Amino acid sequence: MTPTILAFAGSTRTGSFNRQALAHAVAGAREAGAEVTLIDLRDYTLPLYNGDLEESHGLPEAAVRLKALFKAHQGLLLACPEYNSSITPLLKNTLDWVSRAHDGESGLVPYEGKLAALVAASAGNLGGLRGLRHVREILTTLQVLVIPKQMGLARADKELADLASPRLKGLADTGQALAEAIRRWG
């Protein structure tokens, strides 16, 4: 079985460390034989979640497209920037819209039975690890099994500039671990 993985970063900033880190994790998953769909959340513009907006206009078209992508893949590979020791508003809003019920289907359907792996990158000394705890908690609530292997790349401004850095292998290893976990349990 070929594992299928949806990968994206919770940042749309040009030059984002997390988008760069994700590229290494995606490479690791692909080297392990996974089929990875890498998306950019800039292509899925969503309004800030608001129940009144949902009630009056339904799900935005971008949320419907994202739900279909989530459902079509066995795993999620997420690069999660840390804002003030937590999850970015972009990532939280994306997960919230995808979790909404649609066409008589529970909002959990896009998440149930999925496996996920998390990476983060930061110029700081903790590499975004504080935010990963929050992302793990949210995904667990949505019925996603987040694998124990994760990677926070500290001093990412220096590490990502050095393609020979042995720390970059940790990102690839995380992508590989997700592919192997899907093959085992998916």
Side-chain angles (χ1 to χ4, degrees), residues 73-97:
H73 292 82
Q74 299 164 298
L76 303 171
L77 180 54
L78 306 181
C80 310
E82 178 185 304
Y83 285 9
N84 297 317
S85 302
S86 190
I87 184 173
T88 63
L90 173 66
L91 182 55
K92 179 69 166 84
N93 195 53
T94 299
L95 297 174
D96 286 347
W97 273 113

Side-chain angles (χ1 to χ4, degrees), residues 82-167:
E82 178 185 304
Y83 285 9
N84 297 317
S85 302
S86 190
I87 184 173
T88 63
L90 173 66
L91 182 55
K92 179 69 166 84
N93 195 53
T94 299
L95 297 174
D96 286 347
W97 273 113
V98 171
S99 75
R100 304 308 301 157
H102 181 66
D103 282 346
E105 184 176 83
S106 163
L108 292 178
V109 168
Y111 294 102
E112 291 174 326
K114 300 281 185 269
L115 289 138
L118 308 176
V119 298
S122 166
N125 290 330
L126 297 177
L129 287 174
R130 294 175 298 188
L132 292 185
R133 180 177 60 86
H134 295 267
V135 178
R136 182 177 293 275
E137 186 175 339
I138 292 164
L139 290 175
T140 299
T141 296
L142 293 169
Q143 307 302 307
V144 175
L145 176 62
V146 183
I147 67 171
K149 177 87 172 150
Q150 65 182 21
M151 174 71 183
L153 183 66
R155 294 177 291 288
D157 52 334
K158 293 174 181 47
E159 296 290 341
L160 289 164
D162 177 10
L163 294 179
S165 170
R167 299 212 0 103

